[in-house]
Amino acid sequence: MNIAKFVHLSLGKWRSQRSAHHLAFAHYEQVTSNIEIVPLEEDDPEVIEICKSYDIDPSKIVSPFRMSWEGESDWDEEEVSEGTTVLVPVPDTKHPNKGRLLRDRGYAETVSAIGDYEITKDGTFVLITRYDRASAEERIWFATGNLRFRVSTIKTSDGAGVTTASFSSEIRSIGKAKQENS
Amino acid sequence: MNIAKFVHLSLGKWRSQRSAHHLAFAHYEQVTSNIEIVPLEEDDPEVIEICKSYDIDPSKIVSPFRMSWEGESDWDEEEVSEGTTVLVPVPDTKHPNKGRLLRDRGYAETVSAIGDYEITKDGTFVLITRYDRASAEERIWFATGNLRFRVSTIKTSDGAGVTTASFSSEIRSIGKAKQENS
Protein backbone atom coordinates (compact mmCIF):
# COMPACT_ATOMS: atom_id res chain seq x y z
CA MET A 1 0.00 0.00 0.00
CA ASN A 2 1.37 3.39 -0.98
CA ILE A 3 -0.10 6.85 -0.42
CA ALA A 4 -1.55 7.13 -3.94
CA LYS A 5 -3.51 3.94 -3.44
CA PHE A 6 -4.58 4.90 0.06
CA VAL A 7 -5.93 8.23 -1.16
CA HIS A 8 -7.66 6.53 -4.09
CA LEU A 9 -9.44 4.11 -1.74
CA SER A 10 -10.50 7.05 0.43
CA LEU A 11 -12.19 9.09 -2.29
CA GLY A 12 -15.95 9.49 -2.01
CA LYS A 13 -18.60 10.31 0.55
CA TRP A 14 -18.55 8.82 4.01
CA ARG A 15 -20.89 8.84 6.96
CA SER A 16 -18.88 9.00 10.16
CA GLN A 17 -19.74 7.93 13.70
CA ARG A 18 -17.16 9.32 16.09
CA SER A 19 -16.79 8.72 19.80
CA ALA A 20 -14.36 10.85 21.76
CA HIS A 21 -13.05 9.87 25.17
CA HIS A 22 -11.96 12.77 27.36
CA LEU A 23 -9.70 10.67 29.51
CA ALA A 24 -9.16 12.84 32.56
CA PHE A 25 -12.90 13.20 33.12
CA ALA A 26 -14.01 9.78 31.82
CA HIS A 27 -16.38 11.74 29.63
CA TYR A 28 -17.89 10.58 26.32
CA GLU A 29 -18.76 12.72 23.32
CA GLN A 30 -20.46 11.54 20.15
CA VAL A 31 -20.29 13.21 16.78
CA THR A 32 -22.13 12.10 13.65
CA SER A 33 -20.89 13.69 10.46
CA ASN A 34 -20.64 13.49 6.71
CA ILE A 35 -17.24 13.57 5.07
CA GLU A 36 -16.35 14.02 1.43
CA ILE A 37 -12.93 13.39 -0.05
CA VAL A 38 -12.30 14.56 -3.61
CA PRO A 39 -9.11 14.42 -5.70
CA LEU A 40 -7.37 17.59 -6.83
CA GLU A 41 -5.08 18.14 -9.78
CA GLU A 42 -1.41 18.44 -8.92
CA ASP A 43 -1.37 21.86 -10.56
CA ASP A 44 -4.49 23.10 -8.77
CA PRO A 45 -3.79 26.69 -7.65
CA GLU A 46 -4.55 25.86 -4.02
CA VAL A 47 -2.16 22.92 -4.12
CA ILE A 48 0.59 25.02 -5.66
CA GLU A 49 -0.01 27.68 -3.02
CA ILE A 50 0.43 25.15 -0.21
CA CYS A 51 3.63 23.80 -1.77
CA LYS A 52 4.97 27.34 -1.94
CA SER A 53 4.11 28.09 1.66
CA TYR A 54 6.14 25.06 2.79
CA ASP A 55 8.85 25.57 0.16
CA ILE A 56 8.16 22.16 -1.42
CA ASP A 57 8.88 21.40 -5.08
CA PRO A 58 5.44 20.65 -6.64
CA SER A 59 6.99 17.89 -8.76
CA LYS A 60 7.51 15.87 -5.57
CA ILE A 61 3.86 15.65 -4.53
CA VAL A 62 1.30 12.91 -5.28
CA SER A 63 -2.50 12.61 -5.01
CA PRO A 64 -3.49 15.91 -3.42
CA PHE A 65 -7.08 15.96 -2.21
CA ARG A 66 -9.71 18.04 -0.47
CA MET A 67 -11.56 16.81 2.59
CA SER A 68 -14.77 18.49 3.72
CA TRP A 69 -17.02 17.63 6.64
CA GLU A 70 -20.08 18.71 8.52
CA GLY A 71 -20.93 17.20 11.85
CA GLU A 72 -23.16 17.41 14.86
CA SER A 73 -22.01 16.77 18.40
CA ASP A 74 -24.23 15.50 21.18
CA TRP A 75 -22.62 18.16 23.38
CA ASP A 76 -24.32 20.94 21.52
CA GLU A 77 -26.91 19.88 18.99
CA GLU A 78 -27.45 23.48 17.95
CA GLU A 79 -23.94 23.77 16.68
CA VAL A 80 -23.08 22.21 13.36
CA SER A 81 -19.34 22.09 12.82
CA GLU A 82 -18.15 22.15 9.28
CA GLY A 83 -14.94 22.74 7.46
CA THR A 84 -12.75 21.92 4.54
CA THR A 85 -9.03 21.38 4.15
CA VAL A 86 -6.63 20.63 1.33
CA LEU A 87 -4.09 17.88 1.96
CA VAL A 88 -0.92 17.34 -0.06
CA PRO A 89 1.19 14.16 0.36
CA VAL A 90 4.92 14.43 -0.27
CA PRO A 91 6.37 10.89 -0.34
CA ASP A 92 9.88 10.29 0.89
CA THR A 93 12.07 9.55 -2.12
CA LYS A 94 13.97 6.83 -0.27
CA HIS A 95 11.08 5.20 1.67
CA PRO A 96 7.99 5.09 -0.56
CA ASN A 97 5.69 4.15 2.34
CA LYS A 98 6.70 7.25 4.33
CA GLY A 99 6.45 10.95 3.76
CA ARG A 100 5.06 14.28 4.81
CA LEU A 101 1.50 15.51 4.62
CA LEU A 102 0.95 19.23 4.11
CA ARG A 103 -2.35 20.86 4.87
CA ASP A 104 -3.71 24.33 4.80
CA ARG A 105 -5.62 23.93 8.03
CA GLY A 106 -5.80 21.22 10.67
CA TYR A 107 -8.99 19.35 11.46
CA ALA A 108 -9.46 21.34 14.64
CA GLU A 109 -6.87 24.05 14.37
CA THR A 110 -6.99 27.13 12.24
CA VAL A 111 -3.26 27.11 11.54
CA SER A 112 -1.27 25.36 8.86
CA ALA A 113 0.32 22.08 9.79
CA ILE A 114 2.75 19.57 8.43
CA GLY A 115 2.70 15.95 9.54
CA ASP A 116 4.86 12.87 9.09
CA TYR A 117 3.10 9.76 7.81
CA GLU A 118 3.95 6.12 7.43
CA ILE A 119 1.89 3.31 5.98
CA THR A 120 2.57 0.16 7.96
CA LYS A 121 2.96 -3.29 6.46
CA ASP A 122 -0.63 -4.16 7.37
CA GLY A 123 -1.98 -1.09 5.58
CA THR A 124 -2.50 1.32 8.47
CA PHE A 125 -1.86 4.97 7.68
CA VAL A 126 -0.18 6.58 10.71
CA LEU A 127 0.16 10.37 10.79
CA ILE A 128 1.97 12.30 13.50
CA THR A 129 1.62 16.08 13.62
CA ARG A 130 3.66 18.07 16.10
CA TYR A 131 2.35 21.36 17.45
CA ASP A 132 3.92 23.76 19.92
CA ARG A 133 2.61 22.15 23.06
CA ALA A 134 1.07 18.90 21.85
CA SER A 135 1.20 16.27 19.16
CA ALA A 136 -1.61 14.52 17.36
CA GLU A 137 -1.54 10.95 16.07
CA GLU A 138 -4.02 9.56 13.60
CA ARG A 139 -4.24 5.91 12.63
CA ILE A 140 -6.53 5.13 9.69
CA TRP A 141 -7.18 1.71 8.18
CA PHE A 142 -9.73 -0.05 6.00
CA ALA A 143 -11.81 -2.91 7.43
CA THR A 144 -13.44 -3.36 4.03
CA GLY A 145 -13.48 -1.24 0.90
CA ASN A 146 -16.54 0.55 2.29
CA LEU A 147 -15.50 0.93 5.92
CA ARG A 148 -12.61 2.96 7.33
CA PHE A 149 -11.61 3.23 10.95
CA ARG A 150 -9.75 6.16 12.44
CA VAL A 151 -8.21 6.50 15.91
CA SER A 152 -7.00 9.98 16.84
CA THR A 153 -5.09 10.87 19.96
CA ILE A 154 -3.79 14.15 21.32
CA LYS A 155 -0.65 13.89 23.45
CA THR A 156 1.07 16.56 25.45
CA SER A 157 4.33 17.47 23.78
CA ASP A 158 6.47 15.57 26.28
CA GLY A 159 4.67 12.43 25.14
CA ALA A 160 3.66 11.48 28.66
CA GLY A 161 -0.02 12.25 28.66
CA VAL A 162 -2.84 11.52 26.28
CA THR A 163 -5.67 13.94 26.89
CA THR A 164 -8.21 12.87 24.30
CA ALA A 165 -8.71 9.76 22.21
CA SER A 166 -11.37 9.36 19.57
CA PHE A 167 -12.57 6.57 17.34
CA SER A 168 -14.41 6.99 14.06
CA SER A 169 -16.23 4.42 11.96
CA GLU A 170 -16.56 5.80 8.46
CA ILE A 171 -19.00 4.05 6.14
CA ARG A 172 -19.06 4.80 2.44
CA SER A 173 -22.39 6.45 1.74
CA ILE A 174 -22.16 6.87 -2.01
CA GLY A 175 -20.40 4.77 -4.60
CA LYS A 176 -19.07 1.26 -4.54
CA ALA A 177 -15.95 -0.15 -2.92
CA LYS A 178 -12.88 0.42 -5.00
CA GLN A 179 -11.88 -2.80 -6.68
CA GLU A 180 -8.28 -2.35 -5.60
CA ASN A 181 -9.25 -3.21 -2.05
CA SER A 182 -10.41 -6.76 -2.83
CA MET B 1 7.71 -6.94 21.23
CA ASN B 2 6.81 -10.55 21.97
CA ILE B 3 3.77 -11.98 23.70
CA ALA B 4 5.49 -12.40 27.09
CA LYS B 5 6.36 -8.71 27.14
CA PHE B 6 2.93 -7.68 25.91
CA VAL B 7 1.25 -9.65 28.68
CA HIS B 8 3.68 -8.26 31.24
CA LEU B 9 2.86 -4.68 30.22
CA SER B 10 -0.85 -5.51 30.47
CA LEU B 11 -0.82 -6.79 34.05
CA GLY B 12 -2.69 -4.71 36.59
CA LYS B 13 -5.98 -2.91 37.05
CA TRP B 14 -7.44 -0.78 34.31
CA ARG B 15 -10.39 1.57 34.04
CA SER B 16 -11.96 1.21 30.63
CA GLN B 17 -14.10 3.61 28.60
CA ARG B 18 -15.64 1.75 25.70
CA SER B 19 -17.73 3.13 22.85
CA ALA B 20 -19.49 0.69 20.55
CA HIS B 21 -20.78 1.66 17.13
CA HIS B 22 -23.66 -0.44 15.85
CA LEU B 23 -23.05 0.38 12.24
CA ALA B 24 -26.31 -0.60 10.56
CA PHE B 25 -28.31 1.60 12.93
CA ALA B 26 -25.72 4.37 13.49
CA HIS B 27 -26.29 3.70 17.17
CA TYR B 28 -23.83 4.44 19.98
CA GLU B 29 -23.37 2.48 23.21
CA GLN B 30 -21.06 3.41 26.06
CA VAL B 31 -19.67 1.04 28.64
CA THR B 32 -17.51 2.00 31.59
CA SER B 33 -15.78 -0.89 33.28
CA ASN B 34 -12.96 -2.06 35.47
CA ILE B 35 -10.59 -4.70 34.18
CA GLU B 36 -8.00 -6.69 36.06
CA ILE B 37 -5.29 -8.81 34.44
CA VAL B 38 -3.30 -11.13 36.69
CA PRO B 39 -0.55 -13.62 35.77
CA LEU B 40 -1.05 -17.35 36.28
CA GLU B 41 1.54 -20.05 36.76
CA GLU B 42 2.12 -22.24 33.74
CA ASP B 43 1.20 -25.27 35.84
CA ASP B 44 -1.98 -23.72 37.22
CA PRO B 45 -4.69 -26.45 37.14
CA GLU B 46 -7.01 -24.25 35.04
CA VAL B 47 -4.25 -23.57 32.53
CA ILE B 48 -3.41 -27.27 32.27
CA GLU B 49 -7.09 -28.04 31.79
CA ILE B 50 -7.36 -25.58 28.88
CA CYS B 51 -4.23 -27.04 27.25
CA LYS B 52 -5.77 -30.50 27.53
CA SER B 53 -9.07 -29.39 26.02
CA TYR B 54 -7.23 -28.08 22.95
CA ASP B 55 -4.68 -30.91 22.91
CA ILE B 56 -1.76 -28.48 23.36
CA ASP B 57 1.53 -29.50 24.98
CA PRO B 58 1.78 -27.32 28.17
CA SER B 59 5.51 -26.91 27.61
CA LYS B 60 4.71 -24.80 24.54
CA ILE B 61 2.75 -22.07 26.34
CA VAL B 62 3.97 -18.74 27.75
CA SER B 63 2.56 -16.13 30.14
CA PRO B 64 -0.95 -17.44 30.84
CA PHE B 65 -3.17 -14.91 32.57
CA ARG B 66 -6.63 -14.28 33.92
CA MET B 67 -8.70 -11.31 32.83
CA SER B 68 -11.72 -10.20 34.85
CA TRP B 69 -14.08 -7.31 34.25
CA GLU B 70 -17.20 -5.65 35.50
CA GLY B 71 -18.92 -3.00 33.47
CA GLU B 72 -21.97 -0.87 33.16
CA SER B 73 -23.64 0.00 29.87
CA ASP B 74 -25.66 3.13 29.22
CA TRP B 75 -28.20 0.90 27.48
CA ASP B 76 -29.26 -0.69 30.73
CA GLU B 77 -27.82 0.89 33.82
CA GLU B 78 -29.48 -1.70 36.01
CA GLU B 79 -27.44 -4.44 34.44
CA VAL B 80 -23.84 -4.87 35.51
CA SER B 81 -21.99 -7.23 33.22
CA GLU B 82 -19.11 -9.09 34.73
CA GLY B 83 -17.00 -12.05 33.85
CA THR B 84 -13.64 -13.69 33.97
CA THR B 85 -11.65 -15.69 31.48
CA VAL B 86 -8.31 -17.50 31.42
CA LEU B 87 -6.11 -16.86 28.37
CA VAL B 88 -3.20 -19.01 27.30
CA PRO B 89 -0.77 -17.86 24.58
CA VAL B 90 0.92 -20.53 22.45
CA PRO B 91 3.67 -18.85 20.40
CA ASP B 92 4.50 -20.19 16.97
CA THR B 93 7.87 -21.91 17.18
CA LYS B 94 8.95 -20.52 13.79
CA HIS B 95 7.51 -16.99 14.06
CA PRO B 96 7.96 -15.69 17.61
CA ASN B 97 5.65 -12.70 17.05
CA LYS B 98 2.75 -14.97 16.02
CA GLY B 99 0.81 -17.71 17.71
CA ARG B 100 -2.49 -18.93 19.04
CA LEU B 101 -4.44 -17.71 22.02
CA LEU B 102 -6.56 -20.25 23.90
CA ARG B 103 -9.32 -19.19 26.22
CA ASP B 104 -11.91 -20.89 28.26
CA ARG B 105 -14.62 -18.40 27.36
CA GLY B 106 -14.83 -15.51 24.95
CA TYR B 107 -15.44 -11.97 26.07
CA ALA B 108 -19.05 -12.12 24.98
CA GLU B 109 -19.55 -15.78 24.19
CA THR B 110 -20.03 -18.62 26.62
CA VAL B 111 -18.13 -21.10 24.46
CA SER B 112 -14.46 -21.90 24.26
CA ALA B 113 -12.49 -20.18 21.56
CA ILE B 114 -9.10 -20.26 19.96
CA GLY B 115 -7.69 -17.26 18.15
CA ASP B 116 -4.68 -16.46 15.99
CA TYR B 117 -2.57 -13.52 17.07
CA GLU B 118 0.24 -11.51 15.59
CA ILE B 119 2.21 -8.65 17.08
CA THR B 120 3.01 -6.16 14.35
CA LYS B 121 6.30 -4.34 13.99
CA ASP B 122 4.87 -1.24 15.64
CA GLY B 123 3.71 -3.21 18.69
CA THR B 124 0.03 -3.73 17.91
CA PHE B 125 -1.41 -7.04 19.13
CA VAL B 126 -3.87 -8.29 16.48
CA LEU B 127 -6.12 -11.23 17.38
CA ILE B 128 -8.51 -12.92 14.96
CA THR B 129 -11.02 -15.43 16.30
CA ARG B 130 -13.21 -17.35 13.89
CA TYR B 131 -16.63 -18.55 14.95
CA ASP B 132 -19.25 -20.49 12.99
CA ARG B 133 -20.93 -17.54 11.40
CA ALA B 134 -18.69 -14.61 12.25
CA SER B 135 -15.16 -13.60 13.07
CA ALA B 136 -13.89 -11.15 15.65
CA GLU B 137 -10.79 -9.00 15.33
CA GLU B 138 -9.14 -7.22 18.21
CA ARG B 139 -6.31 -4.72 17.87
CA ILE B 140 -4.65 -3.67 21.13
CA TRP B 141 -1.76 -1.24 21.51
CA PHE B 142 -0.12 0.92 24.13
CA ALA B 143 -0.13 4.71 23.77
CA THR B 144 1.91 4.99 26.97
CA GLY B 145 2.76 2.47 29.68
CA ASN B 146 -0.44 3.51 31.46
CA LEU B 147 -2.80 3.70 28.51
CA ARG B 148 -3.95 0.90 26.22
CA PHE B 149 -6.27 1.21 23.26
CA ARG B 150 -8.40 -1.61 21.91
CA VAL B 151 -10.44 -1.72 18.70
CA SER B 152 -12.78 -4.70 18.34
CA THR B 153 -14.78 -5.56 15.25
CA ILE B 154 -17.24 -8.33 14.49
CA LYS B 155 -17.39 -9.40 10.86
CA THR B 156 -19.78 -11.78 9.20
CA SER B 157 -17.96 -14.97 8.30
CA ASP B 158 -17.72 -14.10 4.60
CA GLY B 159 -15.71 -11.06 5.64
CA ALA B 160 -17.93 -8.67 3.74
CA GLY B 161 -19.80 -7.00 6.53
CA VAL B 162 -18.73 -5.47 9.81
CA THR B 163 -21.71 -5.29 12.15
CA THR B 164 -20.18 -3.75 15.25
CA ALA B 165 -17.02 -1.83 16.00
CA SER B 166 -15.93 -0.73 19.42
CA PHE B 167 -13.12 1.34 20.83
CA SER B 168 -11.78 1.14 24.37
CA SER B 169 -9.43 3.49 26.20
CA GLU B 170 -7.96 1.59 29.12
CA ILE B 171 -6.18 3.64 31.77
CA ARG B 172 -4.07 1.99 34.43
CA SER B 173 -5.85 2.60 37.73
CA ILE B 174 -3.37 0.96 40.10
CA GLY B 175 0.39 0.66 39.88
CA LYS B 176 2.96 2.42 37.77
CA ALA B 177 3.84 2.04 34.15
CA LYS B 178 6.13 -0.87 33.49
CA GLN B 179 9.61 0.41 32.79
CA GLU B 180 9.92 -1.81 29.76
CA ASN B 181 7.54 0.44 27.89
CA SER B 182 9.74 3.48 28.06
Side-chain angles (χ1 to χ4, degrees):
Chain A
M1 179 83 83
N2 61 29
I3 189 68
K5 186 170 175 188
F6 196 90
V7 171
H8 185 64
L9 293 171
S10 300
L11 299 176
K13 293 193 178 185
W14 302 82
R15 192 196 64 198
S16 166
Q17 272 186 268
R18 182 160 74 89
S19 293
H21 296 172
H22 299 276
L23 300 175
F25 311 104
H27 189 94
Y28 296 89
E29 179 186 5
Q30 297 162 353
V31 180
T32 302
S33 59
N34 289 301
I35 294 171
E36 183 169 15
I37 299 173
V38 298
L40 296 176
E41 298 294 334
E42 292 178 7
D43 59 358
D44 183 286
E46 279 192 87
V47 171
I48 297 293
E49 191 55 43
I50 292 171
C51 289
K52 270 190 194 161
S53 71
Y54 290 107
D55 200 20
I56 297 286
D57 177 352
S59 72
K60 300 256 166 85
I61 70 171
V62 300
S63 304
F65 59 99
R66 171 181 292 284
M67 185 167 131
S68 306
W69 65 93
E70 51 172 22
E72 205 173 86
S73 163
D74 66 343
W75 271 17
D76 183 354
E77 293 184 6
E78 297 287 310
E79 188 184 301
V80 174
S81 82
E82 56 181 9
T84 184
T85 185
V86 172
L87 294 121
V88 181
V90 188
D92 188 323
T93 47
K94 288 182 185 164
H95 305 94
N97 61 329
K98 293 186 186 184
R100 284 174 293 171
L101 185 67
L102 319 179
R103 56 182 157 184
D104 61 346
R105 227 175 64 168
Y107 299 137
E109 296 71 26
T110 52
V111 295
S112 300
I114 185 165
D116 294 299
Y117 73 80
E118 176 170 3
I119 300 175
T120 67
K121 211 174 155 190
D122 69 350
T124 302
F125 173 84
V126 181
L127 175 71
I128 295 175
T129 308
R130 290 174 184 82
Y131 300 99
D132 273 357
R133 289 182 296 177
S135 73
E137 183 188 280
E138 287 210 85
R139 304 177 74 86
I140 304 175
W141 69 98
F142 287 88
T144 72
N146 291 323
L147 177 62
R148 286 193 349 163
F149 292 128
R150 177 196 298 257
V151 171
S152 307
T153 51
I154 309 286
K155 279 190 189 190
T156 52
S157 56
D158 59 8
V162 174
T163 56
T164 307
S166 76
F167 175 61
S168 302
S169 303
E170 301 174 350
I171 298 176
R172 189 181 296 279
S173 54
I174 289 185
K176 288 190 238 173
K178 307 293 178 192
Q179 293 186 331
E180 293 87 335
N181 198 48
S182 61
Chain B
M1 179 84 81
N2 61 29
I3 188 69
K5 186 170 175 188
F6 196 90
V7 171
H8 185 65
L9 293 172
S10 300
L11 299 176
K13 294 193 177 185
W14 302 82
R15 190 195 66 195
S16 166
Q17 272 187 269
R18 183 160 74 90
S19 293
H21 295 172
H22 300 276
L23 300 174
F25 312 105
H27 189 96
Y28 295 89
E29 181 185 4
Q30 297 161 353
V31 180
T32 302
S33 60
N34 289 301
I35 295 171
E36 183 170 14
I37 299 174
V38 297
L40 297 176
E41 298 292 333
E42 292 179 6
D43 61 357
D44 182 286
E46 278 192 88
V47 172
I48 298 294
E49 191 55 43
I50 291 170
C51 290
K52 271 190 193 161
S53 72
Y54 290 107
D55 200 19
I56 297 287
D57 178 352
S59 72
K60 303 255 167 85
I61 71 171
V62 301
S63 304
F65 59 99
R66 171 182 292 284
M67 185 169 132
S68 307
W69 65 92
E70 51 172 22
E72 206 173 86
S73 165
D74 68 342
W75 271 17
D76 183 355
E77 293 183 6
E78 298 285 309
E79 188 184 299
V80 174
S81 83
E82 56 181 9
T84 183
T85 186
V86 173
L87 294 119
V88 181
V90 188
D92 189 322
T93 47
K94 286 180 188 165
H95 305 94
N97 62 329
K98 293 187 186 185
R100 284 174 294 171
L101 185 68
L102 318 179
R103 56 183 157 183
D104 62 346
R105 229 176 61 170
Y107 299 136
E109 297 73 24
T110 52
V111 296
S112 299
I114 186 165
D116 294 299
Y117 73 80
E118 176 169 1
I119 300 175
T120 67
K121 211 173 154 189
D122 69 350
T124 303
F125 173 84
V126 181
L127 176 70
I128 295 175
T129 308
R130 291 176 184 80
Y131 300 99
D132 274 358
R133 290 183 296 179
S135 73
E137 183 188 279
E138 287 208 87
R139 305 177 74 88
I140 304 175
W141 69 98
F142 288 87
T144 71
N146 291 323
L147 177 62
R148 289 197 340 167
F149 292 128
R150 177 196 298 258
V151 171
S152 307
T153 51
I154 310 286
K155 277 191 190 190
T156 53
S157 54
D158 59 7
V162 173
T163 56
T164 307
S166 76
F167 174 61
S168 302
S169 303
E170 300 173 349
I171 298 176
R172 190 180 294 279
S173 54
I174 289 185
K176 287 190 238 173
K178 308 291 178 190
Q179 293 185 332
E180 291 87 337
N181 198 51
S182 62

